[in-house]
Amino acid sequence: MDLTERPRRLRRTPAIRRLVRETRLAAADLILPVFVREGAIAPNPIGSMPGVVQHTRDSLRQAVTEAAEAGVGAVMIFGVPEVRDACGDVAIAPDNILAQAVRWVKDTTGDDLPVIADLCLDEFTTHGHCGVLDRQGRVDNDATLAVYKQMGLVLADAGSDILGLSGMMDGQVAAVREALDAAGWTDTALLAYAAKYASAMYGPFREAVESQLQGDRKSYQQDPGNAVEALREVRLDVAEGADIVMVKPALPYLDIIARVSDEVDVPVAAYVVSGEFSMIEAAAAAGMIDRDRAIHEVLTSVKRAGAGVIATYWATEVARSLR
Ligand code: PBG
């Protein structure tokens, strides 16, 4: 054979493969999502998410200490309150569980571990929707923005470095940016869940936050068949002042991640969501796949597609393995 091109030459040894590897995960790329349960007296395992818990104050402090030591890039906090109502009033109470958790984490890891607070109403409403409802029971976009503004001020005041806008209301980035700036919080950054799909992959998360949702979120989250619409959502969020844009879920939407990262000049994040996590954990527990290899392959693929920042429940474990 007279072959001039032999790509296998560069695959011969582990060291050669390492030399020419195009995509490398780094601990600093990873965001660790955590759940904090008001009133919990012990960490509460989440049945559908092996190894993930609803934290108490103390177990949260330990988890973020370990994340920071492992070099994880940031922590993203979701609060699970004891009391909910139709309007999500607790979400704008200055001492709510999420604001408290932000303070506990900032007290523990300071500026070593940026804190992202989830700015959304779904954990705080009795109906489980991401916004407030009008008289017909529809999610009321503009009434929700007024609540998001107040929630943004509460979370900024608690010390959040970044607010994660996950509700998919139109105009949410502009509304929260304006409220923050007017109150002097010009340095609080906004991570916009710009292209968030109405996905079946959020199932285990709903257990994690004890979601009360009846029905679905299809009137505000995106249709899985749409890609051009994702580019529109991203363009709007960047124009409204988003500092980071996120695509969610990750693995079923690698094409969206790639197109978004071609389009924007802000950092692109992707969220490997609860269902993506649980599928791999379940398959590995059943002996069907090699767990560690599958995790590394998935996260590498998400990065290769164009996400420089990746939210994953495996963040601390993977960060340690990269050391
Ligand atoms: C809602 C929110 C959801 C997730 C993060 N923020 C659930 C939803 O939209 O129903 C899902 C994250 C995951 O599944 O890991 N604010």
Side-chain angles (χ1 to χ4, degrees), residues 149-194:
K149 288 181 172 191
Q150 294 183 62
M151 189 177 182
L153 295 178
V154 165
L155 296 175
D157 187 58
S160 309
D161 297 290
I162 303 173
L163 304 182
L165 298 170
S166 66
M168 286 297 281
M169 294 301 123
D170 291 338
Q172 61 183 10
V173 175
V176 172
R177 183 73 273 157
E178 182 192 283
L180 292 175
D181 290 353
W185 298 108
T186 51
D187 285 342
T188 306
L190 299 182
L191 182 160
Y193 288 54

Side-chain angles (χ1 to χ4, degrees), residues 32-223:
L32 176 69
V34 292
F35 305 102
V36 188
R37 175 67 161 85
E38 183 176 19
I41 47 171
N44 185 23
I46 298 159
S48 55
M49 299 182 73
V52 181
V53 301
Q54 292 179 328
H55 283 292
T56 64
R57 184 189 61 182
D58 290 347
S59 71
L60 175 67
R61 284 191 159 140
Q62 191 184 334
V64 297
T65 300
E66 288 170 6
E69 279 167 7
V72 163
V75 63
M76 179 153 60
I77 308 177
F78 296 94
V80 186
E82 259 177 347
V83 178
R84 299 175 159 94
D85 64 33
C87 301
D89 280 348
V90 170
I92 58 174
D95 58 348
N96 71 44
I97 182 63
L98 178 55
Q100 281 188 330
V102 170
R103 290 192 169 90
W104 296 334
V105 174
K106 289 307 289 185
D107 281 352
T108 308
T109 41
D111 283 343
D112 293 343
L113 188 67
V115 170
I116 307 168
D118 184 59
L119 198 169
C120 190
L121 293 184
D122 63 312
E123 283 96 38
F124 295 94
T125 53
T126 39
H127 45 74
H129 276 296
C130 295
V132 296
L133 307 182
D134 67 13
R135 283 164 181 231
Q136 283 81 40
R138 297 170 304 200
V139 175
D140 184 334
N141 193 88
D142 297 12
T144 300
L145 295 185
V147 186
Y148 283 2
K149 288 181 172 191
Q150 294 183 62
M151 189 177 182
L153 295 178
V154 165
L155 296 175
D157 187 58
S160 309
D161 297 290
I162 303 173
L163 304 182
L165 298 170
S166 66
M168 286 297 281
M169 294 301 123
D170 291 338
Q172 61 183 10
V173 175
V176 172
R177 183 73 273 157
E178 182 192 283
L180 292 175
D181 290 353
W185 298 108
T186 51
D187 285 342
T188 306
L190 299 182
L191 182 160
Y193 288 54
K196 177 175 180 180
Y197 286 88
S199 173
M201 300 288 159
Y202 308 143
F205 177 93
R206 303 218 175 131
E207 180 192 348
V209 299
E210 303 171 26
S211 173
Q212 311 292 307
L213 184 68
Q214 310 278 326
D216 60 52
R217 306 198 196 287
K218 291 177 184 169
S219 79
Y220 43 105
Q221 299 180 349
Q222 280 186 242
D223 189 301

Side-chain angles (χ1 to χ4, degrees), residues 233-245:
E233 283 282 3
V234 166
R235 174 171 54 75
L236 290 170
D237 282 358
V238 171
E240 289 177 27
D243 299 288
I244 303 173
V245 292

